[in-house]
Amino acid sequence: RLLKSNIYCADFETTGYQNLKTDGEVRVWLWSLINVETKQAWNGRVSAIFTDRQKSKVQSNYFHNLAFDGHFILDYALRNNIPISCLIDGKSKIFYKFDLTLGCDKVEFRDSLKKFPTSLQGLSVQLGIQGKNEKPDFNRYIPATYQPTLSEIQ
């Protein structure tokens, strides 16, 4: 059983159609990782740094809608020959969980949407937590060198 201090919530902000049309790809432009017990937080711009951050200890990460965010982690793992095991419903293609082996560490990725079947905004209301006030413009072009604003990070 994992210690509570080894459980994290994570989220990716990704580029959209404008980047796909211009660059031929969609990518993570901002990630955030928060320890659920200590509230210590990390963020960054490059998927590789997110994956490298995972190497510190065995841990469990929750993404709300792993079916979306998980594709970026799986893509990175496959491109870099990182061992993966997955629990995905083959009929409906629902992601439940997957594990990466990073060196000697096993890192779990789970879908909080399966436990809380509502949007993040709806979940924040249920838990009495202030949700996001503004959403990023998902239709804009975001260059690879883009530096997120403090507001976007928060």
Side-chain angles (χ1 to χ4, degrees):
R1 177 167 143 76
L2 293 173
L3 298 173
K4 187 176 180 183
S5 62
N6 285 354
I7 299 174
Y8 297 80
C9 289
D11 190 30
F12 288 163
E13 297 299 341
T14 61
T15 58
Y17 181 70
Q18 290 301 321
N19 280 79
L20 180 62
K21 192 167 74 171
T22 304
D23 300 335
E25 69 175 356
V26 175
R27 62 180 164 68
V28 173
W29 65 269
L30 178 62
W31 58 262
S32 178
L33 180 70
I34 299 173
N35 181 298
V36 299
E37 183 177 9
T38 67
K39 307 297 186 252
Q40 186 175 8
W42 299 266
N43 62 70
R45 298 181 306 115
V46 181
S47 298
I49 297 170
F50 174 81
T51 308
D52 288 344
R53 168 69 194 99
Q54 305 300 307
K55 291 181 184 178
S56 62
K57 57 185 167 247
V58 176
Q59 57 191 263
S60 186
N61 299 278
Y62 284 86
F63 279 89
H64 204 69
N65 191 6
L66 185 63
F68 179 79
D69 295 304
H71 279 95
F72 294 92
I73 297 169
L74 292 174
D75 178 71
Y76 178 81
L78 290 170
R79 290 176 191 256
N80 291 280
N81 298 315
I82 297 171
I84 308 166
S85 64
C86 300
L87 179 56
I88 301 172
D89 183 314
K91 186 174 183 181
S92 59
K93 308 296 187 244
I94 295 173
F95 282 59
Y96 289 98
K97 146 188 161 120
F98 61 87
D99 301 324
L100 299 184
T101 303
L102 301 169
C104 297
D105 299 326
K106 178 181 164 189
V107 181
E108 297 177 325
F109 294 89
R110 296 175 179 245
D111 194 346
S112 61
L113 185 61
K114 303 304 177 280
K115 292 184 178 276
F116 306 102
T118 184
S119 68
L120 280 178
Q121 187 66 28
L123 184 57
S124 68
V125 169
Q126 288 177 7
L127 297 174
I129 299 170
Q130 183 178 349
K132 294 179 184 180
N133 291 332
E134 57 187 68
K135 292 187 177 205
D137 177 3
F138 294 109
N139 295 317
R140 68 183 172 153
Y141 177 79
I142 301 172
T145 58
Y146 179 73
Q147 295 292 324
T149 66
L150 182 57
S151 174
E152 290 169 328
I153 291 170
Q154 291 172 337

